Structures are given as structure tokens and as C-alpha cells.
């Protein structure tokens, strides 16, 4: 982002750049878009676990000395300055509150990402941890590996989904090792549109309760 874009989209609460981008899309483009965030407060959810956040960004096409660093505190105050950044893109750095150190654990982060972000179509990548025999400890490697599995079937056309993908998605959301007995994938269009993906387990649950059902 440029300096003006940072002020407009991050420095202004309840201003959603995602919503404006979505409204500018045509009908077909809007249907194919997989966007989240419409209320302009997603960035500020970082203060649930942080007392301050640093954002470092450079818009594509701008020189390295036109990058922007934004420092935000939970009270709503922020500072902004131009800095150097070799690569384009955006980094968001959370300065954790006291007592939130468990979020530094890669296992805990993966668990949170998989629980709350598996619906995001673009995979989230994390630095890969490797065991260094010489140092006798875990080190962070340069390679990355996905922390989410973008296998959500609901929004995609049935013709684009294979039998194996349906079964893999069921095992993921249903926490079942066996493939489902059958499934129904339907889309309803009208004044309201929604997609339904209903799975029937291959065996009854061992205890009373609801059957495994995945919805898209």
C-alpha cells in the first residue's frame, strides 16, 4: 500500500477496502471472488492479543524509499513514517501482550489457523521448522509449508470436484477416517443464494448425537 492507502484503509476504523473492491466487481467476477472482511475492523482484532501493532508495506511500482511504517496502539493512536523496504508487499507485526506467549508456539498457531481459517481459499504458509543435528535444536528453515488445506468444496462447481476431493473434505471436517456413504451437493439461487453440501457417514456414530455434516 501507499501512504495514502494506509491512512484510508488502516487508519480509518470501519473503512473496508475489501467491501469497496467487491462492489467494483462485475456479477461473474463477484461470484468467483473469495474475499473476507467487510466491516473495516478486522485489523483491529489484533489488539485482542497485542498491545501494539506495526505495519510495514510498500506498494508495487513505488521505489524502495517510499515504503510506509505504521505503528498503532490499542487506544486508537497511530504514527506513520516513510521508510526503506527492499521488497514490495505488507508485513504485519504483532507485539503480544503479557501472558500471550503461547501464541509463539508453532503448534498452537497451526491449531488456531486450521480451526478458524480453513474456509479461506488461499493457503496460509508458515516457515518450516527443522531439527538441526549440529545445534541439537529446532531451527526455522527457509522453506514454507501450508498450515491450511484449501479443499473446501462448497463454493466450487460440482464439475470441478473429484470423488477423492469430496471424500478428503469430508474426512477433514467430519474427523472421520472412513469415506462417506454418499453426499448431496446443491446450489440454490434466487432472492437468496446458498450452497449446501450434505454428507451421509458410512456408519452410525458410536454415541447418540448428530451425524457428521459438512456445509459449504
Amino acid at each position: 500500500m501507499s501512504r495514502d492507502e494506509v491512512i484510508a484503509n488502516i487508519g480509518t476504523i470501519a473503512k473496508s477496502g475489501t467491501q469497496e473492491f467487491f462492489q467494483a466487481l462485475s456479477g461473474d467476477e463477484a461470484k468467483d471472488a473469495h474475499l473476507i472482511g467487510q466491516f473495516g475492523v478486522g485489523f483491529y482484532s489484533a489488539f485482542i492479543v497485542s498491545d501494539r501493532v506495526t505495519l510495514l508495506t510498500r506498494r508495487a511500482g513505488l521505489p524502495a524509499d517510499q515504503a510506509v511504517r505504521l505503528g498503532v496502539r490499542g487506544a486508537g493512536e497511530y504514527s506513520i513514517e516513510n521508510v526503506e523496504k527492499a521488497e514490495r508487499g505488507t508485513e504485519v507485526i504483532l507485539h503480544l501482550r503479557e501472558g500471550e506467549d503461547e501464541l509463539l508456539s508453532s503448534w498452537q498457531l497451526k491449531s488456531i489457523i486450521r480451526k478458524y481459517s480453513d474456509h479461506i481459499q488461499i493457503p496460509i504458509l508458515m516457515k518450516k521448522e527443522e531439527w538441526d543435528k549440529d545445534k541439537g535444536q529446532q531451527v526455522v528453515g527457509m522453506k514454507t509449508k501450508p498450515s491450511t488445506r484449501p479443499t473446501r468444496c462448497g463454493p466450487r462447481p460440482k464439475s470441478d470436484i473429484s470423488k477423492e476431493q469430496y471424500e478428503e473434505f469430508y474426512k477433514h471436517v467430519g474427523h472421520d477416517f472412513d469415506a462417506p456413504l454418499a453426499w448431496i451437493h446443491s446450489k440454490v439461487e434466487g432472492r437468496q443464494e446458498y450452497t449446501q453440501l450434505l454428507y451421509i457417514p458410512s456408519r452410525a456414530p458410536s454415541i447418540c448425537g448428530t451425524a457428521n455434516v459438512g456445509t459449504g
Side-chain angles (χ1 to χ4, degrees):
M1 290 179 282
S2 66
R3 185 186 181 97
D4 290 342
E5 287 170 332
V6 169
I7 294 173
N9 294 298
I10 306 298
T12 306
I13 299 177
K15 170 87 162 45
S16 173
T18 301
Q19 188 177 47
E20 291 184 358
F21 179 77
F22 190 80
Q23 290 172 347
L25 297 176
S26 65
D28 291 338
E29 290 174 329
K31 288 183 178 180
D32 293 336
H34 301 290
L35 303 175
I36 62 172
Q38 298 185 40
F39 306 105
V41 296
F43 175 81
Y44 292 91
S45 65
F47 292 102
I48 296 173
V49 296
S50 308
D51 53 19
R52 61 190 178 95
V53 177
T54 300
L55 182 142
L56 183 62
T57 183
R58 177 164 75 88
R59 181 181 177 87
L62 292 181
D65 61 356
Q66 290 299 306
V68 179
R69 179 164 57 204
L70 180 77
V72 186
R73 294 192 174 274
E77 300 177 353
Y78 69 85
S79 62
I80 187 168
E81 60 181 331
N82 285 101
V83 295
E84 291 234 4
K85 187 174 186 295
E87 298 178 350
R88 66 181 179 90
T90 301
E91 302 173 25
V92 180
I93 304 167
L94 275 60
H95 303 268
L96 296 177
R97 295 178 182 273
E98 186 176 354
E100 299 292 349
D101 291 352
E102 66 175 357
L103 295 176
L104 298 175
S105 162
S106 60
W107 178 87
Q108 181 74 359
L109 283 175
K110 291 174 190 173
S111 176
I112 293 171
I113 291 170
R114 285 174 176 155
K115 183 176 181 180
Y116 296 106
S117 300
D118 258 358
H119 64 285
I120 297 175
Q121 293 295 302
I122 300 173
I124 298 173
L125 302 179
M126 290 181 63
K127 291 283 183 72
K128 184 178 180 181
E129 291 187 341
E130 300 172 331
W131 181 260
D132 190 313
K133 294 181 180 179
D134 297 331
K135 295 182 179 180
Q137 62 182 19
Q138 289 273 38
V139 296
V140 178
M142 295 302 294
K143 296 180 181 178
T144 56
K145 60 180 179 180
S147 288
T148 58
R149 295 162 48 169
T151 56
R152 187 170 176 236
C153 298
R156 298 161 55 192
K158 290 189 285 186
S159 58
D160 293 346
I161 308 172
S162 66
K163 176 176 178 290
E164 291 74 19
Q165 289 173 322
Y166 273 118
E167 293 177 349
E168 180 189 11
F169 183 64
Y170 165 77
K171 292 177 182 178
H172 178 56
V173 298
H175 306 289
D176 194 346
F177 292 105
D178 298 325
L181 178 66
W183 56 84
I184 300 172
H185 187 174
S186 59
K187 183 174 183 179
V188 177
E189 297 181 347
R191 294 185 62 183
Q192 292 186 342
E193 296 185 8
Y194 65 89
T195 301
Q196 174 180 272
L197 180 55
L198 173 67
Y199 283 103
I200 302 174
S202 58
R203 53 187 172 81
S206 56
I207 58 174
C208 295
T210 57
N212 292 320
V213 176
T215 57

